[in-house]
Amino acid sequence: MDADERYMWLALDLAAQGQGTTSPNPMVGAVLVKDGETVGTGYHQKAGGPHAEIIALEEAGEAARGATLYVTLEPCSHTGKTPPCVDRIIAAGVRKVVVAMQDPNELVNGLGLKKLQEAGIKVKSGVLEEKALRLNEVFVKYITSRRPFVTMKAAMTMDGKIATRTKASRWISGERSREFGHRLRHHTDAIMVGIGTLLADNPSLTTRLPEGGKNPLRIVVDSKANTPLDSKVVAENPEKTLIFVTDLADQERISALQAKGVGVEVLPADPEGRVPLDLLMDNLGKHEISSVLVEGGSVLNYSLLASGLVDKVYFFMAPLIFGGDTAPTPVGGTGVATVEEAWHVKDIEISHYDTDLLITGYIAYKK
C-alpha cells in the first residue's frame, strides 16, 4: 500500500463516521498531510453542516499551505447550503489534492477538479475509487436517479420460511442479528412495510439500540387505507409515518388517518388496484428520502423485485426448520417461471452473527 492509499483509507474511515446523519448528502472524509505528518482531519457530520475539507482546513490552519489534501469525494465547486469547497482549498494554499472519486452530482462532476487544476493545484483522482463508490452507494443512486437506494432485509429459517404456518415469527433470528437490523434502521432514511405485515405484527418500526439511535420515517404501502387508527405507527409519533394509498381508497379512512397526524400520499392505482411502486419511489425522491429499508412480507418483497426497485439484500438465515406448505417465504407473488428468469445476486458477502448467517448482496437485473 502506497502513501496515497494509506491516507485515503484514513479519509474513508473518517467518512464512515457520518453514516446515517448526512442524508441526502454523501459521506465524505478529508485528511491534510504535510511533510509526512497529518495536520488536519475532518468528516461531513450532517446535512447543512461544514464539509469535510473545511473542517480539515480549519484544524490545520497555516499548516495547510503546501500540504496535500486527501478527500474521498471531489470537492464541490457550486454554492448549495454551504460555499464552494474548492475556493477555500485554493485560498488555503494546498499544493495537491488526491480524491477517491468524482462527484456524480451533475452540478459538480469534474468541475471541482478542473477548477483546482486551473488554479495550479496538482490533482490525482481514482485512489481507492471502488471503496469510495461502495461507501456512498446510497448517494450515488439517489443523486443520479432521484430515487432512493432500496435495501431488502429478511430473516428466514434454513428451509426458507419467514414464519410458521400459523404466522408465528418471533424470533427467527438471534439477538445480535436483530441488533444489526436496528443499526440498519439507524443508518436509513425510511423503513417500509406493506399493509399485510402491519396488520399481522403491528410493528413500531423504531430503532432500538443500546445507545438509542435515529428513528427512520415509517412508510406503509396500503392501497385501500386499511391501516388501523390504533396501530403503533399511527398512535406513536404519527408525524414520523407516511402511508401510500391509491385513489380507490375510501376518503373517510384517508381523512381519519390524516386527522391523527399521519401523512397520506394518494397515488393513481395500477391496473391491479395496487400502489404503483415506481411512482412511490419517485415521490420519496422528491422528498429527499435517499434510502429505504424494506422489512415487508413476501407480497411487497416480490412486487419490489418484479418492479426492478431493489438494490441490495440482507438475508439472515437461522439454524431452524419450520416446514409447512403454507408457511410464508421471503419472496412470494407469482414468482418466475424458469431458472433463467431468476433474479441473480452478485458481490456476495457471508458473515456470522452468533449462530445466524448473514448473506449480503446486490440484485443484478437483466438489461
Side-chain angles (χ1 to χ4, degrees):
M1 185 184 300
D2 63 21
D4 285 348
E5 290 183 344
R6 187 168 69 253
Y7 289 119
M8 191 60 75
W9 270 117
L10 175 56
L12 287 167
D13 287 342
L14 286 166
Q17 294 183 42
Q19 191 170 20
T21 63
T22 65
S23 178
N25 290 353
M27 292 176 280
V28 184
V31 177
L32 272 165
V33 179
K34 187 174 184 179
D35 299 328
E37 299 222 352
T38 300
V39 295
T41 62
Y43 71 94
H44 185 42
Q45 299 176 21
K46 63 178 182 178
H51 289 189
E53 304 95 311
I54 304 305
I55 296 173
L57 287 169
E58 289 179 350
E59 182 180 303
E62 278 302 310
R65 191 163 299 278
T68 297
L69 172 65
Y70 293 88
V71 61
T72 58
L73 184 71
E74 174 184 5
C76 64
S77 55
H78 68 293
T79 300
K81 293 180 180 179
T82 59
C85 289
V86 291
D87 293 347
R88 289 286 299 274
I89 294 169
I90 294 168
V94 171
R95 178 182 63 86
K96 181 179 179 181
V97 175
V98 180
V99 303
M101 60 176 282
Q102 285 191 198
D103 192 334
N105 187 343
E106 60 183 10
L107 296 176
V108 184
N109 205 352
L111 296 179
L113 299 182
K114 181 180 179 182
K115 191 169 183 178
L116 292 171
Q117 290 172 321
E118 289 174 346
I121 296 175
K122 295 180 181 179
V123 172
K124 181 178 180 180
S125 182
V127 176
L128 299 182
E129 182 177 22
E130 288 301 316
K131 301 295 183 182
L133 284 166
R134 183 57 57 88
L135 177 69
N136 270 315
E137 60 191 11
V138 168
F139 172 73
V140 172
K141 165 75 181 294
Y142 170 73
I143 205 67
T144 56
S145 69
R146 294 298 171 180
R147 283 182 172 181
F149 185 92
V150 178
T151 299
M152 177 188 296
K153 182 182 79 70
M156 73 186 87
T157 62
M158 290 179 66
D159 57 336
K161 307 297 185 181
I162 60 173
T164 68
R165 59 182 173 79
T166 63
K167 304 301 185 288
S169 60
R170 293 189 178 184
W171 295 103
I172 291 177
S173 57
E175 186 175 345
R176 283 193 63 215
S177 300
R178 297 197 299 274
E179 181 175 323
F180 178 87
H182 282 280
R183 207 157 294 284
L184 286 178
R185 292 183 181 185
H186 173 68
H187 292 156
T188 306
D189 290 346
I191 181 170
M192 178 186 292
V193 298
I195 184 60
T197 296
L198 187 81
L199 294 175
D201 299 337
N202 190 23
S204 295
L205 303 180
T206 53
T207 299
R208 298 181 293 280
L209 291 168
E211 68 273 22
K214 175 189 66 125
N215 288 325
L217 174 69
R218 299 174 297 193
I219 298 171
V220 182
V221 184
D222 178 11
S223 59
K224 296 180 180 178
N226 284 331
T227 299
L229 298 181
D230 61 352
S231 62
K232 292 178 181 178
V233 297
V234 175
E236 303 169 1
N237 300 315
E239 70 281 357
K240 290 285 290 183
T241 298
L242 181 60
I243 301 176
F244 281 89
V245 305
T246 71
D247 50 8
L248 302 178
D250 182 81
Q251 184 57 53
E252 289 187 7
R253 290 206 55 81
I254 293 174
S255 298
L257 288 166
Q258 292 173 325
K260 290 287 188 178
V262 172
V264 180
E265 292 282 348
V266 182
L267 299 178
D270 69 11
E272 296 179 344
R274 297 179 176 176
V275 173
L277 297 175
D278 283 313
L279 295 182
L280 182 154
M281 293 300 171
D282 289 339
N283 183 289
L284 293 179
K286 290 175 182 176
H287 286 87
E288 295 191 332
I289 301 298
S290 65
S291 57
V292 174
L293 176 64
V294 180
E295 293 191 10
S298 61
V299 175
L300 179 61
N301 288 347
Y302 172 76
S303 298
L304 287 164
L305 281 167
S307 299
L309 296 173
V310 179
D311 297 293
K312 189 175 186 177
V313 293
Y314 287 100
F315 275 18
F316 283 97
M317 182 177 291
L320 301 171
I321 297 173
F322 284 172
D325 292 338
T326 59
T329 61
V331 181
T334 57
V336 299
T338 65
V339 173
E340 289 73 24
E341 294 176 285
W343 294 285
H344 288 255
V345 184
K346 63 179 182 178
D347 299 336
I348 292 290
E349 293 182 5
I350 299 176
S351 50
H352 285 265
Y353 284 81
D354 291 335
T355 58
D356 296 340
L357 286 178
L358 172 59
I359 303 172
T360 306
Y362 297 82
I363 303 297
Y365 292 101
K366 295 183 175 69
K367 295 181 180 179

